[in-house]
Amino acid sequence: MTPVEVIRKKRDGGTLTREEMHAFISGYVANEIPDYQMAALLMAVYFNGMTADERAALTDVMLHSGVVVDLSHIPGVKVDKHSTGGVGDKVSLILAPMVAACGVPVPMISGRGLGHTGGTLDKLEAIPGFRTDLSIEEYKRVIAETGLVLIGQTKEIAPADKRMYALRDVTATVESIPLIAGSIMSKKLAEGIDALVLDIKTGNGAFMHTFEDSAALAEALVSIGTSMGKRTVGYITDMNQPLGYMIGNWLEVVESVECLKGRAVADLMEVTYVLGGTMVWLGKRAASIDEGIERCKEAIASGKAFEKFCEVVARQGGDPSYLEHPQRYPRPRHVVEVRSTASGYVTGYATMQIGLLAIALGAGRTKVDDIIDPKAGIIITKKIGDRVERDELLGTIATDRGDVLDRARAAMQSFVAVGETTPSRQQLVHAFVDETGVKPWTTPSLWKGMNR
């Protein structure tokens, strides 16, 4: 079929074959099909969706548009984790070394900040000297030596996805479950993994605001991974308030280090332990998820998880002394307190707006070529359900940008809702997803005998 016929078929609700997608996408990567025709196909997919077979075929074509890394020489089951992104979501910085310390190899290719969400690469690069731009050969060497590697997407990995994503960003076709699923899975399956754990965020700080949309995305991702022969499971987790207390690149490194050293930040560590325990189980280092969680808790308590993080930081060019002595890090020019204008209970957060405020402070990008200030960010002091008194500290703003301080303080006050009645307890991990569907989840007790 010609490109026009493929576009027409999808426009009219037809089902594309793998051969049709391969020809179209290969032609696009080879510059034989122009942007405007790919944009037309993307819009047709946006409106008409894709079947499960189409989603799998799309992922496979994008995956094989570049290099698929072979890590078969690395002993053990290689397992990675992917999050759809949120505010204060620094889970990967804790989870990856924790799971690697349990004996599961973790090859992790991460992304930069997107929209209101922070990016793992930007957080890692806040560590002085840390390199995320390793070549494929360096990537293989580091994981062989340390059991863990943390890099960004290289030009060899899923180049079709890279070009298609850039086009989606400017054609209003980002919010499409088949296109999101194909983009995520083509990159993850190119890493050389054997299994994958997904963290699908839901709520006002997530890309998917409703549980139903998050569940649909989770099922699509799990279906693709399973069809490609990779054990894939996921969780739907809450993003109606920032995860942990710190938002911003260096601040999130600091909070991650505190957690690696044993600080029990309840919401952050619940998500981290559930995802990590599942990775240890999939990596065949535990007989169950619960046992995997216990192994992860041991890795934190023993100090092995923090040691592993310092090891990989040093191996990838970073200076681990900043992890031991964070006070050495440069200080922001302005540190401003934000105080409550009312007494009561914290009933909610405008989580996406807090993420956007962090960007305005310098912690993220509004243009591709913007330079991030790793010092910039926000520290909150309260969680939903906490009591707060009038004039009590709600949070702290850190920035070098003096011209945004007054607006930022007022905005932050408006992003924290305070009411007279105690809100109901927020469930953090809503559901577990595997090839059989979406199931309710109850996290086992994590804090027995621990200081919270």
Side-chain angles (χ1 to χ4, degrees):
M1 297 177 76
T2 67
V4 172
E5 290 172 319
V6 171
I7 295 167
R8 183 182 294 115
K9 182 177 179 180
K10 196 66 214 172
R11 182 201 68 186
D12 295 340
T15 300
L16 300 181
T17 67
R18 188 192 185 286
E19 291 72 26
E20 289 164 348
M21 275 191 271
H22 182 270
F24 198 99
I25 292 172
S26 297
Y28 179 62
V29 172
N31 294 315
E32 296 164 0
I33 290 177
D35 280 351
Y36 59 81
Q37 286 188 311
M38 176 57 81
L41 182 63
L42 293 172
M43 191 62 75
V45 171
Y46 179 88
F47 281 114
N48 291 310
M50 282 184 157
T51 67
D53 287 344
E54 282 182 298
R55 291 194 301 259
L58 172 67
T59 304
D60 188 56
V61 169
M62 292 197 297
L63 169 66
H64 289 99
S65 67
V67 170
V68 179
V69 179
D70 180 8
L71 295 180
S72 59
H73 63 291
I74 306 291
V77 179
K78 277 69 71 178
V79 188
D80 191 14
K81 160 258 180 189
H82 176 80
S83 168
T84 56
V87 178
D89 181 7
K90 72 279 293 177
V91 167
S92 289
L93 277 66
I94 309 164
L95 173 144
M98 180 182 74
V99 172
C102 292
V104 178
V106 182
M108 186 172 283
I109 296 179
S110 300
R112 299 196 179 279
L114 179 64
H116 67 285
T117 68
T120 297
L121 293 187
D122 300 320
K123 296 164 194 176
L124 289 169
E125 289 176 355
I127 303 170
F130 193 97
R131 287 184 57 215
T132 62
D133 60 343
L134 305 187
S135 68
I136 295 295
E137 289 308 310
E138 288 176 301
Y139 170 85
K140 291 180 178 181
R141 283 199 299 272
V142 172
I143 191 169
E145 293 169 10
T146 69
L148 170 64
V149 63
L150 304 158
I151 70 164
Q153 185 179 3
T154 72
K155 64 180 184 298
E156 299 97 339
I157 290 176
D161 168 68
K162 198 166 189 177
R163 286 196 60 187
M164 289 167 66
Y165 189 88
L167 196 57
R168 286 167 57 208
D169 198 30
V170 296
T171 56
T173 54
V174 170
E175 300 91 342
S176 162
I177 285 176
L179 298 177
I180 292 171
S183 176
I184 290 171
M185 296 304 290
S186 63
K187 292 191 286 286
K188 286 295 171 183
L189 294 170
E191 295 175 330
I193 58 172
D194 301 307
L196 178 65
V197 177
L198 299 159
D199 180 9
I200 312 301
K201 302 296 186 186
T202 192
N204 65 24
F207 285 109
M208 298 293 176
H209 296 325
T210 68
F211 179 86
E212 292 73 21
D213 285 345
S214 300
L217 176 58
E219 289 186 292
L221 292 166
V222 169
S223 174
I224 290 171
T226 302
S227 71
M228 303 289 281
K230 307 296 182 183
R231 186 71 196 281
T232 307
V233 301
Y235 292 89
I236 300 173
T237 68
D238 193 77
M239 187 40 71
N240 281 304
Q241 62 180 325
L243 197 57
Y245 292 94
M246 299 189 186
I247 303 140
N249 297 293
W250 175 246
L251 288 173
E252 293 190 41
V253 172
V254 170
E255 188 168 36
S256 298
V257 167
E258 290 176 353
C259 290
L260 284 165
K261 289 183 173 182
R263 181 185 173 198
V265 178
D267 60 340
L268 173 57
M269 291 309 294
E270 179 177 341
V271 173
T272 302
Y273 280 136
V274 169
L275 296 172
T278 307
M279 291 175 70
V280 174
W281 168 62
L282 290 177
K284 301 189 184 304
R285 292 288 180 165
S288 67
I289 294 173
D290 285 2
E291 184 184 327
I293 290 172
E294 291 303 314
R295 291 286 311 277
C296 288
K297 289 167 67 176
E298 291 166 9
I300 296 288
S302 67
K304 290 181 180 177
F306 179 61
E307 290 174 9
K308 180 60 67 176
F309 189 49
C310 291
E311 179 186 7
V312 78
V313 165
R315 182 62 183 79
Q316 293 190 217
D319 184 348
S321 69
Y322 284 93
L323 309 181
E324 291 282 8
H325 307 286
Q327 67 276 10
R328 292 182 52 213
Y329 207 77
R331 298 279 296 168
R333 290 197 190 102
H334 308 283
V335 178
V336 176
E337 293 182 344
V338 178
R339 295 187 175 273
S340 179
T341 58
S343 296
Y345 297 90
V346 175
T347 59
Y349 276 93
T351 314
M352 181 180 290
Q353 296 305 314
I354 290 173
L356 293 172
L357 177 60
I359 292 172
L361 296 171
R365 302 175 184 84
T366 56
K367 302 188 298 294
V368 173
D369 57 353
D370 280 350
I371 297 174
I372 283 179
D373 176 6
K375 308 183 301 300
I378 299 165
I379 301 174
I380 63 171
T381 62
K382 300 291 183 179
K383 288 291 182 177
I384 292 175
D386 287 350
R387 177 75 189 178
V388 62
E389 302 299 332
R390 182 181 177 85
D391 204 38
E392 188 177 355
L393 187 67
L394 287 176
T396 305
I397 290 170
T399 184
D400 283 351
R401 299 177 178 178
D403 59 327
V404 304
L405 290 177
D406 290 340
R407 294 194 307 274
R409 182 192 288 109
M412 185 67 195
Q413 285 175 325
S414 72
F415 296 158
V416 187
V418 177
E420 295 181 357
T421 57
T422 309
S424 58
R425 182 183 179 275
Q426 302 287 305
Q427 185 172 345
L428 192 57
V429 182
H430 295 284
F432 174 78
V433 187
D434 64 9
E435 67 275 8
T436 66
V438 180
K439 308 174 184 68
W441 172 265
T442 300
T443 301
S445 176
L446 296 173
W447 313 114
K448 185 177 181 180
M450 296 178 67
N451 293 321
R452 295 181 66 175

